[in-house]
Amino acid sequence: MGNLEERVDALSTLNEKLEHDAKMLRLICETSNNAFLYYNYEEDSVQTIANWNYFFNFPVSCHADFSKFYACVEERYTAPLREALFIEKKGIKSIATDVKMKDSRMWVEVETSIIYDEKNRPTDKIIRFKDVTKFNSQNNELVYMAYYDILTGLYNRNYFVRQLGEFVNRAKDENKTVSVMFLDLDDFRRMNDGLGIIVGDEIIQIFGQFLSEFSSENVIVSHFNSDIYCIGIYDSNGTKAVDAIYKKISKRLKKTFKLSSRQQIPLSVSIGVAEYPSAASNALELINCAEIVMFRAKACGKGNIQYFDSKILEDFLQNVKIENKLKEAVFEQNFEMHFQPQFHTMDKKLRGVEALIRWKDEEGKMIRPDVFIPIAEKNGTIVPIGTWVMEESLRIYAGWKEKYHYPILLSLNVSAIQYKQPDFIESVKQLLEKYHICPSEIELEITESIMIDDFKAITDKLVALRDIGIKISLDDFGTGYSSLAYLKGLPIDTLKIDKSFVDTVVTDENTRIIIESIIYMVKKLGYETVAEGVETKEQFEYLNAIDCDIIQGYYLGKPMPSYGIEKLIERELA
């Protein structure tokens, strides 16, 4: 008897819970401002729930009644509505679409969800109808606002592209030209980092306000992003010609820009110009061409203007092609090492070798390091390339040591980006330990560009490398940012005189004065000197006469594969 009472109580409790859940579900549906339609495929039965009458004035009792919905919406939304109502035809589980109701301003979101059984047959369908009129209205306002740049008040990139497209279409019909000026503020990142983003934003605003003066019916000015602006000119001539606008910009840039803090800021811009139809056939291509040319203007020293020509585009596309190939080569480690010997000047004895990377693409074409290394430094692949060069060179060098036991130095080039990696010193130590190489047998070659950013931090790193016994060589001395003031503070062992000096040392008196002064100074500081690019007997004899310690160049030895160095070692041992 007790057991039966317990069952009755349990069923009563369950019924109360079900009634509560049903009441809660009804309350949710009725207060949601939505309407719901439930369809059971097996019974071909329909149940409508919640605010049905708010949306529709007709009942739906079976699947065939779904066609009634078509008459409720504007004709252009009939097809997307049909697709949303019958998604089981495509085996889709859920979809949502917005439709405009006929004879009203109401927008309705129709969302359909279907449950399938284990044999992928539809069993149940739920369709939700939601009034999204207010949302769509706000969205339309946002879309409108999205055409304008908040920071500068200029047109943004989206609107500029749209308007430029209209310019181009109009120019096609009227046989006119359209010009694009792509402007980039020089060194803006440095200003933004140094002065702060608030000041950076004000600089963008002030310069944007100045450019807005050029806006007219046939001239559109936009702020693309960050420090990039674009000017589109329809049928450029007279005061609207590119040259005329550039002269006005140049004249204004001769004066500083005054900030709200009363600080005076000098600005300069690099500008690329491309014109329809000579450079491109549509708006996006025209912008891309102008951007490519702007980068050329930057490379030419900043603060100037560059006009599009086909050679610039060819060079750019070639660099892009090389960059794509380079990424594949890095992934596959498709490189090889060559080594250029270095000789003591006095007796022409082998002093060491400089490791040099070589790359042949899949077509067997040799791509020069001075072409692909700058690209690698820009896209970040220089780090894995540098790591591979170091390990492969040390591996080969370890093989020479084990085979010949001949004492030579291995010189390794280190890029500024690779050198600045936080784990650089530790990775060098690990490689030396892995191949059982003494640090004193390794010379790391750095360029002056490494010192630009943070001289003290770089020097501290050099000291740490020297403390473990690694030699440091300063490469390409005299071609970059040479400063005797910092040279005396660098912990280096060797200074390499750049090939550009060696090339004219026999024929130019001024070059001889410079080289003799460098060698005298360096010897006083206690460094070794290496002359690069020695290609003739006359150059060698002159450098020998002025006591240059080491010679490197085609005269005594070209870069060669590892087996070529082995022959040199065998010759030294003979």
Side-chain angles (χ1 to χ4, degrees), residues 433-463:
E433 292 173 3
K434 178 178 179 179
Y435 292 104
H436 309 292
I437 295 173
C438 179
S440 62
E441 297 170 320
I442 301 302
E443 183 176 67
L444 295 184
E445 295 191 10
I446 61 170
T447 59
E448 297 170 26
S449 61
I450 288 180
M451 264 75 72
I452 296 174
D453 294 334
D454 191 336
F455 181 77
K456 185 180 183 306
I458 299 302
T459 302
D460 290 344
K461 222 170 206 181
L462 292 175
V463 170

Side-chain angles (χ1 to χ4, degrees), residues 180-187 228 242 246 250 268-274 288-309 311-313 315-316 319 378:
V180 169
M181 300 176 70
F182 198 96
L183 301 88
D184 179 59
L185 284 176
D186 296 325
D187 302 316
I228 301 292
V242 169
Y246 178 60
S250 298
S268 72
V269 293
S270 296
I271 303 175
V273 179
N288 288 338
C289 287
E291 182 180 15
I292 290 168
V293 179
M294 182 276 294
F295 285 122
R296 174 61 65 90
K298 287 268 189 194
C300 291
K302 302 179 183 179
N304 62 62
I305 189 169
Q306 185 81 39
Y307 293 85
F308 176 87
D309 65 49
K311 181 66 169 60
I312 293 175
L313 181 59
D315 291 345
F316 175 80
N319 282 346
K378 286 182 180 179

Side-chain angles (χ1 to χ4, degrees), residues 245-258:
I245 292 175
Y246 178 60
K247 285 179 182 177
K248 292 179 182 178
I249 292 174
S250 298
K251 182 179 179 180
R252 177 63 186 88
L253 291 177
K254 290 178 181 178
K255 301 176 183 178
T256 57
F257 288 78
K258 187 176 181 180

Side-chain angles (χ1 to χ4, degrees), residues 137-151:
S137 241
Q138 292 172 340
N139 190 55
N140 289 337
E141 290 177 12
L142 290 174
V143 169
Y144 174 79
M145 292 172 60
Y147 286 117
Y148 299 89
D149 177 60
I150 297 174
L151 190 60

Side-chain angles (χ1 to χ4, degrees), residues 304-403:
N304 62 62
I305 189 169
Q306 185 81 39
Y307 293 85
F308 176 87
D309 65 49
S310 57
K311 181 66 169 60
I312 293 175
L313 181 59
E314 289 172 9
D315 291 345
F316 175 80
L317 294 176
Q318 179 64 19
N319 282 346
V320 171
K321 184 178 180 181
I322 291 173
E323 183 172 1
N324 291 334
K325 288 182 178 180
L326 184 59
K327 290 176 181 177
E328 294 177 10
V330 170
F331 181 75
E332 298 173 1
Q333 295 187 340
N334 188 23
F335 303 101
E336 59 184 66
M337 293 307 304
H338 283 205
F339 302 87
Q340 185 167 30
Q342 300 171 337
F343 299 90
H344 292 286
T345 312
M346 291 294 293
D347 55 12
K348 296 184 181 179
K349 289 284 187 182
L350 184 63
R351 179 251 191 185
V353 295
E354 179 183 357
L356 301 168
I357 188 171
R358 293 292 182 263
W359 173 34
K360 282 185 180 179
D361 63 17
E362 68 276 6
E363 299 169 0
K365 181 181 177 182
M366 185 69 75
I367 300 176
R368 301 193 317 273
D370 62 342
V371 172
F372 74 82
I373 292 298
I375 294 174
E377 288 178 337
K378 286 182 180 179
N379 66 18
T381 54
I382 191 65
V383 175
I385 288 175
T387 301
W388 181 88
V389 166
M390 187 167 289
E391 175 149 14
E392 181 67 5
S393 301
L394 291 174
R395 184 190 67 79
I396 294 171
Y397 179 78
W400 294 339
K401 275 190 60 181
E402 184 178 355
K403 186 175 181 179

Side-chain angles (χ1 to χ4, degrees), residues 36-40 45-49 52 60-61 125-126:
F36 298 89
L37 182 152
Y38 168 73
Y39 175 71
N40 182 285
S45 62
V46 172
Q47 182 178 358
T48 56
I49 309 169
W52 186 259
V60 179
S61 58
K125 178 190 291 188
I126 289 285

